[in-house]
Amino acid sequence: MGLRLLAVGAAVPGQPVSNDAMAALVDTSDKWITTRTGIRTRYFCRDEKNADLAYRAALDALIHAGVAAEQVGVLLVSTFTPDHMSPTVACELRARLGLPEDTVVFDLNAACAGFLYGLQTARQLLLASSRPYALIVGSETLSRVLDFGDRSTCVLFGDGAAAVVAELATDSPFYWLGGSRGDAGGFLYCGGLWDKAKDEAPSVVHMQGQEVFRFAVEIIPYCIEGLLQKAGLQLADIDYVVCHQANVRIIQHVVKSLHARPEQFFVNVQRYGNTSSASIPLALNDMWRQHKLKPGSRVICVGFGAGFTWAACLFTW
Ligand code: UT7
């Protein structure tokens, strides 16, 4: 059974924060950030919570889809920065959106690949749902787990949320791949709970960027080739490839290794920085607003991140 994405919505907090503003916090420069990552701005929450961003994005998507709250049977929120360990963001969101009480709701965490795990999970859950639509949200408040004294991480990430409304569709094939290599070296790590052994609180993101970069440029072509093989298509048959937006240099590397057309690969990391599981739906939202997504457009999405977790899907808009 295929999956059709009907509409997308998004929310970011406050005003864009420039590279120059980051240079006032740590020893960095606009030149270093733009040339090494492509990032120009990002957004950080002040008072807004994860559930506030998720709510705005989800409502936006429901309005764009023309779908009423009582028609939603599944609500999944992908995040590794929830407001609380419990209750979940999804729980709060269901109540605020007025979805039926028996809607299946939970948060899931597959790092920056989480939104794509959400699509696949929602697809399975819709098969057992009495209602036709699923709402899948990627929502992150990374500013709460950043060390604003560590220039190697704080300039890279940002906050944001985006959501899609989806339904099962026999005439809209959906191919999916996913897995996890494991990161025994702890190259990308965020403790979460107070680690007594390390006496580490509060919890912040640590990253050895070059190791993650190497993983990314290997796994993205693997995913794209795997999906094309499953679907019996060539890269030339695909309208857009949407990689997790971590670094424009990762995308350029992949374009080169696949001998692809650069314009096939959508890039918006310059606006938001790396927003983890919100990055792929934020890209879909920008593409939709730029009228790039048309009925029949074939799109490949590829996510990768902590735990060297990865996922990818191919769908028709
Ligand atoms: O969402 C999960 C997926 N995450 C990713 O995919 C991230 C993948 N990795 C990357 O995007 C890149 O590795 C980074 C952008 C994180 C780093 O770029 P890099 O070209 O690999 O830089 P580097 O870590 O090798 O650091 C080069 C230099 C170092 O100085 P020395 O040792 O050469 O003197 C760093 O200390 O750049 C320095 N540096 C900075 N300088 C100015 C690191 N961060 C900064 C900074 N401003 N913000």
Side-chain angles (χ1 to χ4, degrees):
M1 178 64 85
L3 188 76
R4 179 179 294 118
L5 308 192
L6 295 170
V8 60
V12 287
Q15 298 300 317
V17 177
S18 68
N19 290 340
D20 287 337
M22 298 307 293
L25 298 176
V26 284
D27 180 16
T28 189
S29 63
D30 176 53
K31 185 163 179 243
W32 191 95
I33 301 171
T34 40
T35 53
R36 297 284 181 133
T37 71
I39 297 166
R40 293 186 180 276
T41 57
R42 74 286 290 146
Y43 295 81
F44 293 133
C45 288
R46 278 177 187 269
D47 303 321
E48 275 185 299
K49 297 186 304 164
N50 187 316
D52 298 324
L53 293 181
Y55 172 73
R56 283 170 47 207
L59 193 61
D60 203 28
L62 283 175
I63 291 168
H64 290 151
V67 164
E70 54 272 19
Q71 294 176 294
V72 176
V74 177
L75 164 61
L76 304 182
V77 177
S78 166
T79 186
F80 86 99
T81 53
D83 297 315
H84 329 281
M85 283 186 63
S86 191
T88 61
V89 177
C91 238
E92 181 175 338
L93 199 53
R94 186 210 63 77
R96 286 173 69 174
L97 290 168
L99 307 187
E101 196 175 311
D102 64 348
T103 304
V104 175
V105 292
F106 58 91
D107 290 0
L108 63 88
N109 177 357
C112 308
F115 176 77
L116 301 183
Y117 273 83
L119 289 185
Q120 172 72 335
T121 309
R123 177 175 166 229
Q124 308 292 339
L125 289 169
L126 274 177
L127 288 169
S129 175
S130 58
R131 292 189 293 279
Y133 300 109
L135 193 48
I136 305 100
V137 188
S139 184
E140 302 284 6
T141 46
L142 276 137
S143 57
R144 292 171 48 238
V145 290
L146 289 180
D147 175 352
F148 283 93
D150 176 6
R151 69 177 182 173
S152 73
T153 52
C154 75
V155 304
L156 304 175
F157 297 95
D159 298 340
V164 298
V165 178
E167 66 176 351
L168 294 176
T170 45
D171 59 347
S172 187
F174 181 85
Y175 301 93
W176 192 88
L177 295 173
S180 169
R181 187 171 291 180
D183 174 16
F187 295 126
L188 180 47
Y189 164 82
C190 182
L193 294 175
W194 177 42
D195 186 334
K196 284 188 185 172
K198 293 185 181 162
D199 194 18
E200 181 190 270
S203 184
V204 290
V205 170
H206 302 272
M207 183 166 69
Q208 293 182 36
Q210 290 192 1
E211 302 294 340
V212 185
F213 195 105
R214 267 193 281 278
F215 164 65
V217 296
E218 196 185 309
I219 204 71
I220 297 171
Y222 170 83
C223 286
I224 293 173
E225 281 161 5
L227 285 170
L228 290 173
Q229 200 178 357
K230 268 192 169 201
L233 295 170
Q234 306 289 321
L235 189 52
D237 300 321
I238 304 300
D239 295 288
Y240 285 103
V241 179
V242 183
C243 298
H244 166 49
Q245 304 286 307
N247 187 331
V248 73
R249 287 195 294 124
I250 291 175
I251 296 169
Q252 287 163 349
H253 197 290
V254 171
V255 166
K256 205 167 163 193
S257 73
L258 291 175
H259 307 289
R261 289 181 289 116
E263 60 275 15
Q264 238 178 329
F265 283 67
F266 186 76
V267 177
N268 69 350
V269 71
Q270 68 278 9
R271 291 186 69 185
Y272 306 108
N274 179 344
T275 57
S276 190
S277 67
S279 94
I280 289 174
L282 273 173
L284 293 176
N285 182 68
D286 280 4
M287 289 166 71
W288 180 72
R289 285 180 185 275
Q290 293 166 25
H291 308 289
K292 290 185 190 299
L293 293 176
K294 303 195 175 71
S297 298
R298 283 203 192 104
V299 181
I300 284 180
C301 298
V302 186
F304 53 88
F308 289 178
T309 301
W310 49 273
C313 68
L314 191 169
F315 62 85
T316 305
W317 186 258

